[in-house]
Amino acid sequence: MDRYGLIGYPLGHSFSISYFNQKFADENINAKYENFEIPSIDILPEVIDSHPDLRGLNVTIPYKEKVMPFLDNITPEARAIGAVNVIRVTHQGNKTILKGYNSDVIGFTQSIEPMIDKKWHHKALVLGTGGASKAICYGLKSLNIEPVLVSRYERPDTIQYKSITPEVIKEYNVIVNCTPLGMYPHTEECPDLPYEAMDSHTICYDLIYNPDQTLFMRKGAEHGADVKNGLEMLLLQAFVSWEFWHEK
């Protein structure tokens, strides 16, 4: 039996484990998917060594960047992004080869592209500065949208929430939430933005998928914004992960 899994900390509710185990059952695939909740990325080699049947991993917070030094190969796209969220595990004799990919970009761009109107959408606010936000910026640039990272803190090449005025919202009218703000169970939290400046030309895209509609999405929608959660992106990423694990 082949084994696949997810590394991260903490994991809690995981979309991947239910998705893949259902896929294996539906398609009669002799495989198992499990969560590896590791408190330090330094435990990764131990996970690999103790599971010789492991064929692939997904990587989530907080290890998308920290995992990269442990890999033997990284695709040019994942290296350019600076984050890996899929690892293919292959065995060549006594050697185990780990190859890193990034499926965030494909999942995100395919999911948000139908919402983009080239007449109106040219600039984006990307809320958060972690591994996911790097991939989102890469994906937005591929769609000819200029992104800027938003942080609570003073950082190079970012703006702070306190600097986001109604005028900024009008100019940067694609807004992507890459923070955990609003994720279950903290559903009454949302990024601190001037939502009243949003209108029908604003896109509010949330990487969160639990709850279905976050407070960020709800407040945007109240002012006419086009909103979407991260579930479709997750489904697309899962599909791409499977392709990466089995590429020839």
Side-chain angles (χ1 to χ4, degrees):
M1 178 184 289
D2 289 341
R3 191 189 303 261
Y4 302 87
L6 173 69
I7 59 168
Y9 190 85
L11 290 179
H13 171 76
S14 161
F15 167 86
S16 299
I17 192 168
S18 53
Y19 171 86
F20 280 109
N21 283 322
Q22 187 63 53
K23 173 185 174 68
F24 298 154
D26 291 345
E27 299 180 25
N28 293 316
I29 297 170
N30 186 26
K32 178 184 179 184
Y33 191 103
E34 62 185 89
N35 286 346
F36 297 102
E37 190 173 58
I38 55 174
S40 166
I41 192 61
D42 294 326
I43 298 171
L44 177 62
E46 186 181 315
V47 171
I48 302 291
D49 292 343
S50 57
H51 298 92
D53 53 355
L54 197 61
R55 297 292 176 265
L57 289 167
N58 292 117
V59 185
T60 189
I61 296 169
Y63 300 136
K64 291 185 179 187
E65 296 153 295
K66 293 176 183 174
V67 77
M68 295 177 76
F70 292 84
L71 306 178
D72 300 288
N73 298 304
I74 299 171
T75 64
E77 184 175 70
R79 194 173 289 285
I81 293 161
V84 161
N85 70 330
V86 182
I87 300 170
R88 183 185 184 198
V89 184
T90 54
H91 304 279
Q92 298 176 2
N94 294 326
K95 187 166 172 55
T96 301
I97 308 294
L98 305 181
K99 184 173 181 179
Y101 305 79
N102 192 298
S103 66
D104 281 337
V105 173
I106 302 169
F108 172 69
T109 51
Q110 288 183 0
S111 180
I112 199 172
E113 192 167 18
M115 304 172 76
I116 302 293
D117 184 334
K118 289 181 176 148
K119 180 180 175 184
W120 295 104
H121 300 126
H122 307 287
K123 295 183 178 182
L125 297 175
V126 178
L127 313 180
T129 56
S133 61
K134 289 183 174 183
I136 297 313
C137 286
Y138 190 95
L140 287 165
K141 287 174 185 173
S142 76
L143 297 171
N144 296 312
I145 294 173
E146 177 192 328
V148 62
L149 292 170
V150 182
S151 174
R152 289 173 293 168
Y153 311 107
E154 291 269 6
R155 295 186 180 185
D157 303 317
T158 64
I159 64 171
Q160 293 175 277
Y161 284 94
K162 65 184 182 184
S163 303
I164 299 176
T165 61
E167 290 74 24
V168 171
I169 292 290
K170 295 291 187 191
E171 184 179 359
Y172 291 81
N173 56 3
V174 178
I175 306 165
V176 185
N177 180 35
C178 302
T179 77
L181 280 172
M183 186 187 294
Y184 180 85
H186 305 291
T187 55
E188 292 311 305
E189 296 179 358
C190 68
D192 184 15
L193 300 169
Y195 291 90
E196 69 281 358
M198 297 179 183
D199 58 28
S200 61
H201 298 312
T202 309
I203 293 172
C204 290
Y205 190 106
D206 204 327
L207 267 58
I208 293 169
Y209 60 94
N210 184 17
D212 289 339
Q213 188 177 55
T214 59
L215 185 57
F216 163 71
M217 292 166 62
R218 197 158 73 241
K219 290 178 79 163
E222 284 170 3
H223 296 280
D226 192 7
V227 304
K228 194 171 195 176
N229 70 17
L231 184 59
E232 183 185 46
M233 176 177 166
L234 271 173
L235 288 165
L236 290 163
Q237 284 177 288
F239 180 76
V240 171
S241 293
W242 187 253
E243 290 195 326
F244 285 157
W245 292 331
H246 296 90
E247 71 175 12
K248 301 300 181 191

